[in-house]
Amino acid sequence: MIIKCRKISRGVAEGQVLLTQEAISFLGNVDPKTGIIVEQKHELFGQCIKDRVLVFPHGKGSTVGSYVLYQLIKNNVSPAAMINVESEPIVAVGAIISCIPLVDRMEQDPFKVLKNGDIARVDGTSGLVEIPEGSEL
């Protein structure tokens, strides 16, 4: 299945989907040294975002979150790619300066077509998300 979406940050990456319906604040929710979600009240608490296709509605919090995304890439613990329902400037800037593919506004609701464990390919250059048939691990 190939789904069109809006391009935010260029690049192409593939990985296992990690999905949350909760917003993410990269400053405070994510440990920039390990890529682990450290906010105890967050749905993804204790999970690592490294090399995952991180799917979340939007970012929240401080503009410093953009630089936390950059720290994640420098520490080799960043997501492979990200999909938002609606990106906002903090996540968009962080993805762009970190060269992490990012798309939003998928033509289909990502929470209805993706599930944890699926393999997804995010093309932030063309504005496409591909979910291969039988992609779940």
Side-chain angles (χ1 to χ4, degrees), residues 25-32 34-42 44-47:
S25 170
F26 285 93
L27 178 64
N29 283 159
V30 182
D31 181 336
T34 64
I36 293 174
I37 304 289
V38 294
E39 172 57 45
Q40 292 183 0
K41 294 180 182 178
H42 198 279
L44 296 180
F45 175 68
Q47 295 197 48

Side-chain angles (χ1 to χ4, degrees), residues 18-74:
L18 181 61
L19 190 93
T20 179
Q21 295 207 26
E22 294 181 24
I24 294 178
S25 170
F26 285 93
L27 178 64
N29 283 159
V30 182
D31 181 336
K33 293 180 182 172
T34 64
I36 293 174
I37 304 289
V38 294
E39 172 57 45
Q40 292 183 0
K41 294 180 182 178
H42 198 279
E43 175 182 15
L44 296 180
F45 175 68
Q47 295 197 48
C48 186
I49 63 174
K50 181 183 191 294
D51 298 330
R52 306 294 289 273
V53 173
L54 185 60
V55 182
F56 58 108
H58 53 83
K60 65 178 183 175
S62 170
T63 57
V64 176
S66 299
Y67 298 102
V68 173
L69 274 165
Y70 186 71
Q71 285 179 310
L72 289 164
I73 201 87
K74 289 295 186 185

Side-chain angles (χ1 to χ4, degrees), residues 72-100:
L72 289 164
I73 201 87
K74 289 295 186 185
N75 292 330
N76 197 34
V77 294
S78 71
M82 296 183 291
I83 299 170
N84 290 151
V85 172
E86 183 76 34
S87 283
E88 42 58 59
I90 296 166
V91 173
V93 168
I96 291 165
I97 66 173
S98 304
C99 299
I100 299 170

